[in-house]
Amino acid sequence: MDPVPPAHSLRRTPIQQRSADRLARILDACAELLDETGYENLTTRAVALRAGVPIGSVYRFFGNKRAMAIALAHRNLDRYVDGIADRLADLPATHWRPVVDAVLDEYLAMKRGVPGFALVDFGVPAPPADDLEGDPNHQVATRLTELLSAHLGLTADATLERAVLVAVEATDALIQLAFRTDPAGDPGIVAETRAMMHAYLARVLD
């Protein structure tokens, strides 16, 4: 079963399995249509048609398309964290560089294979400029700090949190450049991004 998006992004939290399955179909349809039409042309009616549900079912969960995209972003973040956790299960806690590589590799895998991720990865287009707590990169950095500290036996203090946030911001910009240059992600830019992450994070992880 897919993780249910946080309650604050839903009008109603599904309780029964059938309702949760319907929510998952709606989000799947939203992701597919983002790739086909873009965010600006996305409509709740088109999502309902693609998902094979009444329009009322969409509005039962979401007040508008932005709320729906936010829920999709939350689901993407949960899947990202779960994917990293799966990769870390096979890695020793004695070396941090393979752990950082796993974080980058999971992101690249989602960029290349998850519908709608190019437009709505962990946040919706044009979030409010003053909403730092809801900023996608802040949310990603918080989750990654928890993962890294737990796996490597580190203290999730302000220094580590700040370093992870800076690495997330820089990596986000460079990976966007890599995928603008090459639809599959320019290998040279990806390699430079990996080197940048290693060099920067060595300051706090070595």
Side-chain angles (χ1 to χ4, degrees), residues 1-10 23 27 69-87 106-107 110 114 117 120-123 136 139-144 146-147:
M1 177 179 169
D2 272 328
V4 174
H8 63 74
S9 66
L10 299 173
L23 173 59
L27 293 179
I70 289 172
L72 178 63
H74 283 301
R75 186 176 75 167
N76 285 341
L77 180 54
D78 285 340
R79 287 181 171 180
Y80 179 52
V81 171
D82 289 345
I84 294 171
D86 288 343
R87 291 174 184 263
E106 183 63 23
Y107 184 59
M110 292 187 73
V114 174
F117 198 78
V120 174
D121 48 12
F122 307 125
Q139 294 180 30
V140 172
T142 297
R143 301 285 291 274
L144 289 182
E146 294 169 357
L147 275 175

Side-chain angles (χ1 to χ4, degrees), residues 9-176:
S9 66
L10 299 173
R11 278 182 161 177
R12 176 180 299 181
T13 302
I15 298 176
Q16 297 182 340
Q17 183 64 46
R18 183 176 64 178
S19 183
D21 290 343
R22 179 170 290 187
L23 173 59
R25 289 205 311 275
I26 290 170
L27 293 179
D28 288 344
C30 175
E32 292 171 4
L33 288 168
L34 281 169
D35 281 340
E36 296 172 16
T37 69
Y39 180 76
E40 292 302 321
N41 294 319
L42 182 72
T43 67
T44 52
R45 183 169 299 279
V47 169
L49 287 172
R50 177 64 59 90
V53 302
I55 186 67
S57 293
V58 176
Y59 285 118
R60 188 171 295 119
F61 293 115
F62 306 111
N64 51 45
K65 72 174 184 181
R66 185 175 183 84
M68 185 166 49
I70 289 172
L72 178 63
H74 283 301
R75 186 176 75 167
N76 285 341
L77 180 54
D78 285 340
R79 287 181 171 180
Y80 179 52
V81 171
D82 289 345
I84 294 171
D86 288 343
R87 291 174 184 263
L88 296 189
D90 298 323
L91 295 176
T94 51
H95 302 290
W96 62 265
R97 283 176 177 79
V99 174
V100 170
D101 286 340
V103 170
L104 178 58
D105 290 340
E106 183 63 23
Y107 184 59
L108 291 170
M110 292 187 73
K111 287 283 283 186
R112 291 166 178 152
V114 174
F117 198 78
L119 289 179
V120 174
D121 48 12
F122 307 125
V124 298
D130 59 349
D131 183 16
L132 290 181
E133 184 176 338
D135 175 70
N137 283 343
H138 276 74
Q139 294 180 30
V140 172
T142 297
R143 301 285 291 274
L144 289 182
T145 300
E146 294 169 357
L147 275 175
L148 293 174
S149 59
H151 187 77
L152 297 172
L154 302 172
T155 301
D157 58 15
T159 299
L160 180 61
E161 291 177 357
R162 183 170 55 250
V164 172
L165 175 60
V166 171
V168 166
E169 289 280 359
T171 300
D172 180 35
L174 289 170
I175 294 302
Q176 287 187 42

